[in-house]
Amino acid sequence: MIFDLDGVLVHSMPLHIQAWERYLETFGKSCRDIERVMHGKRNSELVRELFGPDLAADVVFEHGAAKERLFRQMLLETDLSICRVPGLTEFLERHKQVPKAIGSNAEPANIDFVVDQLGLRSYFQVIVNGQQVERPKPFPDVYLKAAEQLGFDPRDCIVFEDSPTGVEAARAARMRVVGVETTPTEFQGVDLTVRNFLDPNLDEWIGRQKICSSVSAGNDSVIPSGDSPRKKA
């Protein structure tokens, strides 16, 4: 299982929106539909969209870093437990034996902060961020790297995503996708849509999944999901 961070593990979109609004105000700027504009984008893309496409790389980086410092300060002032996506910890505990990763475009410092504040680190064997790959989402690189580090064939991975950009990345990686609708979203190409991890359809769907490990060239075996997970040979 591979999880996005924002909107999947933690419902942080409202804080990200407020942080961008506050940050833009310091420059006398505003953005009417900031939620739509920012959804699924990496900071470098968003900064150029908000401040201009011709900014030097170091200026783009500093804008993004400054906004994320503000965001983390706001997190410190917030009871982060109320932002945890409902049912998350119980779901992770029920499927504790399944190898898990985080695959996110978020800043590394943000990922570490959220994971540690929510006490989730022990559930994840691998964490991959967008700075560790050449191409962020919607390209599949983040998810492919996570699968590689977990040691599993991408086809045997289930991705949990909240944005169309992330869904596109997971599909490009040939993974199964669960759309987590913490923010109203029109998902296309997902295998299942849930509002959160309390949805009774989620465990039922997972119980029907099969593992397709490459045993020999051109041949796939199908293993009931209740059996022990098997890594790619």
Side-chain angles (χ1 to χ4, degrees):
M1 296 179 180
I2 309 178
F3 298 75
D4 184 34
L5 182 80
D6 292 307
V8 174
L9 302 183
V10 60
H11 186 34
S12 52
M13 182 62 78
L15 279 179
H16 275 294
I17 292 170
Q18 291 175 37
W20 271 116
E21 288 173 341
R22 286 192 198 177
Y23 187 70
L24 289 172
E25 283 175 5
T26 64
F27 295 89
K29 289 178 172 288
S30 64
C31 179
R32 284 185 182 179
D33 196 6
I34 186 64
E35 181 175 353
R36 180 192 61 79
V37 171
M38 66 184 283
H39 200 38
K41 289 190 175 73
R42 195 161 62 166
N43 269 345
S44 57
E45 301 171 291
L46 186 55
V47 166
R48 285 197 164 95
E49 189 162 345
L50 294 171
F51 288 90
D54 299 322
L55 292 179
D58 59 335
V59 177
V60 170
F61 176 83
E62 183 48 41
H63 275 304
K67 178 266 171 181
E68 296 306 333
R69 288 194 294 270
L70 176 59
F71 171 72
R72 287 192 293 276
Q73 181 59 44
M74 293 170 65
L75 282 176
L76 285 171
E77 300 166 358
T78 302
D79 180 1
L80 201 56
S81 64
I82 67 174
C83 301
R84 186 195 309 258
V85 173
L88 171 67
T89 304
E90 295 82 356
F91 176 82
L92 295 175
E93 191 64 34
R94 282 199 305 277
H95 298 280
K96 197 170 186 177
Q97 79 284 0
V98 180
K100 298 177 187 66
I102 293 172
S104 173
N105 278 354
E107 301 288 314
N110 288 5
I111 297 175
D112 287 338
F113 185 94
V114 169
V115 167
D116 289 334
Q117 287 294 309
L118 292 180
L120 299 175
R121 191 170 292 276
S122 64
Y123 292 105
F124 298 100
Q125 292 75 51
V126 168
I127 296 178
V128 179
N129 66 72
Q131 296 183 11
Q132 293 176 285
V133 295
E134 183 177 350
R135 304 176 303 174
K137 304 173 192 179
F139 295 98
D141 302 30
V142 166
Y143 286 133
L144 290 174
K145 188 175 183 69
E148 179 184 12
Q149 291 190 2
L150 284 174
F152 280 79
D153 189 304
R155 294 171 302 168
D156 289 334
C157 295
I158 297 171
V159 169
F160 296 82
E161 261 290 352
D162 74 308
S163 74
T165 299
V167 170
E168 184 179 346
R171 276 303 183 198
R174 300 177 64 203
M175 298 177 178
R176 285 164 268 189
V177 192
V178 175
V180 183
E181 204 172 22
T182 49
T183 301
T185 305
E186 290 187 13
F187 292 118
Q188 294 190 10
V190 299
D191 297 280
L192 178 71
T193 300
V194 298
R195 185 172 182 182
N196 54 48
F197 293 96
L198 296 174
D199 193 314
N201 294 321
L202 179 55
D203 279 340
E204 181 184 345
W205 178 81
I206 288 175
R208 297 198 305 267
Q209 299 311 297
K210 308 295 182 181
I211 295 175
C212 304
S213 298
S214 297
V215 178
S216 60
N219 293 310
D220 291 336
S221 65
V222 180
I223 306 169
S225 58
D227 291 354
S228 299
R230 201 164 76 189
K231 294 188 180 184
K232 182 178 177 180

